Amino acid sequence: MPIVSTPALEFVVAEASNNGVSDVLVVLSKGKTAIADYFAPDPDLESALQEKGDEAGLASIRRAGQLATFHYVEQLEPRGLGDAVAHGQQFSAGEPLVVLLPDDLIDDTDELLGTMIDVQAERGGIVLGLIDVPRAEIRKYGCAVPAPGADLSADVVALVDLVEKPDPQDAPSTLALIGRYVLPPEIFDALRGTKPGAGGEIQLTDAMRQLAHDGVPVHGVVFRGRRYDTGDRLEYVKAVVQLAGRHPEIGRDFTAWLREYVSGLA
Ligand code: G1P
């Protein structure tokens, strides 16, 4: 999914890279090899650009591949987010891991992942990225249950439980999980014991919930910055418009055109 001319996935890999993640495992659905091709070097195109002396073009096609060392695994059946994460066991090699869902974009001038990694290093267990949503919207998300008496205006909130996509009237809070997780290696044992849940899929939320019940500490870092949801059609278009308006090359012209276009709609 391109945002102007950069795939959404590249923004997410850049976020990981900017926060010290050097190795990225991409869990691909069956046959999505174009994604691996995108991050791989392209020697023919590189030498053509080199011959033309197109330094800017060369830098731009190399940029994505230089963000990290890439690894790939195919998820042959769409059995859910929990199943996708389970494909990372060997890759994580017994260490905590960061899970990023590429349909959630965090603005690169706002801070989240670095704080989450620091909180996990200090307190261990699970650390989740959270946003406070209007109650009607909590049905689209995993929902965090804060510890009794937790200060919900704090940046880091202790959690005692999680519920996947609750009905708004039953939701224990309006704190929603966005696609940012720092997980301990114990998640893989929990995933192995997780039965299909909401939507018949293996839910990561259910495996984390099991760990929470087993006494593993769970904390949420509440994000109050700019987030774009490219997994929803309307939100995707809004993300493209907002990021196009701030684009270094086309931002100014696009904003001028947008003003004119919108005033013509009124
Ligand atoms: C997944 C998770 C959910 C989380 C959401 C964030 O849901 O299961 O807990 O809140 O991502 O984007 P999905 O959007 O895949 O339905």
Side-chain angles (χ1 to χ4, degrees):
M1 301 292 283
I3 310 288
V4 190
S5 53
T6 304
L9 179 59
E10 184 176 335
F11 279 101
V12 175
V13 172
E15 179 190 341
S17 173
N18 291 339
N19 286 287
V21 173
S22 58
D23 281 70
V24 172
L25 173 72
V26 185
V27 183
L28 297 169
S29 51
K30 198 163 173 258
K32 291 271 174 75
T33 50
I35 291 177
D37 290 344
Y38 176 76
F39 288 104
D42 185 341
D44 292 345
L45 183 56
E46 284 187 26
S47 52
L49 291 170
Q50 222 144 18
E51 268 166 41
K52 284 203 303 185
D54 183 352
E55 291 301 325
L58 204 54
S60 110
I61 64 153
R62 283 179 175 161
R63 189 189 56 216
Q66 287 170 342
L67 289 171
T69 302
F70 290 87
H71 311 261
Y72 298 92
V73 61
E74 249 184 330
Q75 184 192 26
L76 295 176
E77 286 173 57
R79 297 181 62 222
L81 176 59
D83 178 67
V85 172
H87 281 68
Q89 177 159 18
Q90 227 186 333
F91 172 77
S92 85
E95 288 183 29
L97 70 153
V98 171
V99 172
L100 303 107
L101 307 189
D103 48 4
D104 277 315
L105 301 189
I106 298 297
D107 199 279
D108 63 3
T109 56
D110 291 333
E111 166 59 29
L112 174 63
L113 189 59
T115 306
M116 291 175 61
I117 292 171
D118 290 348
V119 171
Q120 207 277 343
E122 279 164 24
R123 309 190 191 193
I126 296 172
V127 180
L128 303 170
L130 302 177
I131 54 169
D132 200 1
V133 296
R135 183 161 280 272
E137 284 182 26
I138 195 73
R139 65 165 79 248
K140 296 195 294 187
Y141 298 96
C143 174
V145 186
D151 173 6
L152 300 187
S153 63
D155 291 336
V156 181
V157 178
L159 307 174
V160 287
D161 204 354
L162 305 164
V163 188
E164 182 67 10
K165 303 194 172 89
D167 279 336
Q169 72 267 25
D170 306 332
S173 81
T174 52
L175 291 175
L177 276 62
I178 49 171
R180 298 292 180 273
Y181 310 79
V182 187
L183 300 172
E186 292 76 26
I187 194 68
F188 296 109
D189 283 339
L191 281 167
R192 255 192 303 281
T194 301
K195 304 254 177 318
E201 297 187 335
I202 309 283
Q203 295 291 349
L204 178 61
T205 302
D206 292 341
M208 295 193 296
R209 175 167 214 216
Q210 184 57 52
L211 290 183
H213 294 178
D214 292 347
V216 170
V218 184
H219 292 91
V221 174
V222 184
F223 180 65
R224 302 179 211 276
R226 282 163 296 185
R227 162 191 177 254
Y228 312 97
D229 176 6
T230 64
D232 174 276
R233 283 174 299 178
L234 176 60
E235 295 303 316
Y236 168 69
V237 175
K238 288 186 199 168
V240 174
V241 169
Q242 289 173 83
L243 293 167
R246 289 169 41 207
H247 192 279
E249 284 154 35
I250 65 162
R252 193 189 278 257
D253 288 352
F254 174 69
T255 306
W257 171 83
L258 187 63
R259 277 211 180 90
E260 213 170 295
Y261 178 68
V262 171
S263 69
L265 291 179

